[in-house]
Amino acid sequence: MEESLKQLSGTTIEIREGSITFTREDKTYAWWRERLDRDKDGILCPEIGQHMLNIAQSFTRKNDKGQIVSKYNMFMTNLSPNPRSSQGLKKQKYKKYLINHLNKNKEALLKFKDKEVLVYIAVYLRPKKAETQDIDNFSKVILDALKEFIGDDSKVNTLIMKKYKLENYPKEDLSFLEQVVILVTDPKASSTLSEVI
């Protein structure tokens, strides 16, 4: 028996006073198919949103005053892995896309400039691509793009990569759902991260 397809809806993300809240909207009309660019736009599906939320929450603690504070400096983002752009000139186009995206968060990334870092890369792909694509095809171009902000990749003390399958979604939405999550943080955070990935 075939499993039913997952329904997508919009998600509102609210960040306030050290807490992150994801609220799902009751909209199932697939407006993204008409308005978004399949090569560079994405939709945050529930499992990616939950994955990012779990990481963000594991990196916080309560201080003596009961305030939520960060355990480690961190930068986390999600964007299209653009799996169709993995070779030659397409790879350079994807690197430029990554740099443009990361440049929007330049200040957060510059905190890591020339320091030892842990980089975590989670790649979410449609099942067939997850089974056939080498994950290291993504790491090289991502590390090259990060170099513009954090310095030489010889400072990457720890690199953790994981590949996930996006299963049971409508085929026409998979190009929007395929994403990469990038986390840059202190190498001391490796044990905390390993508890949630």
Side-chain angles (χ1 to χ4, degrees), residues 77-141:
T77 190
N78 68 300
L79 64 160
S80 169
N82 201 7
R84 294 178 291 282
S85 300
S86 58
Q87 297 177 347
L89 292 174
K90 290 182 180 178
K91 189 173 183 179
Q92 290 304 316
K93 184 179 175 185
Y94 182 53
K95 181 181 173 185
K96 185 177 178 182
Y97 162 71
L98 283 168
I99 290 170
N100 287 339
H101 177 82
L102 295 171
N103 201 42
K104 294 173 189 170
N105 301 287
K106 188 175 183 175
E107 287 183 35
L109 279 167
L110 287 175
K111 292 176 185 174
F112 299 100
K113 184 80 172 173
D114 298 322
K115 296 179 182 174
E116 287 198 349
V117 293
L118 177 156
V119 175
Y120 169 62
I121 301 169
V123 184
Y124 286 82
L125 299 170
R126 64 189 75 208
K128 191 172 184 178
K129 284 187 180 172
E131 292 166 7
T132 58
Q133 290 250 327
D134 293 335
I135 197 166
D136 62 346
N137 289 343
F138 297 97
S139 65
K140 181 67 175 145
V141 70

Side-chain angles (χ1 to χ4, degrees), residues 22 36-37 42 52 75 89 107 121 143 164 167 172 187 189 193:
F22 290 85
L36 298 183
D37 181 339
M52 294 178 76
F75 165 79
L89 292 174
E107 287 183 35
I121 301 169
L143 291 174
Y164 296 90
E167 297 185 291
E172 59 269 32
L193 183 63

Side-chain angles (χ1 to χ4, degrees), residues 165-177:
K165 289 181 188 178
L166 291 166
E167 297 185 291
N168 303 316
Y169 284 102
K171 287 182 183 177
E172 59 269 32
D173 290 330
L174 289 172
S175 55
F176 295 117
L177 298 175

Side-chain angles (χ1 to χ4, degrees), residues 44-63:
L44 190 66
C45 67
E47 54 260 53
I48 298 174
Q50 189 61 53
H51 187 169
M52 294 178 76
L53 181 61
N54 291 345
I55 291 169
Q57 288 177 332
S58 73
F59 275 53
T60 61
R61 64 178 173 80
K62 285 191 177 180
N63 66 13

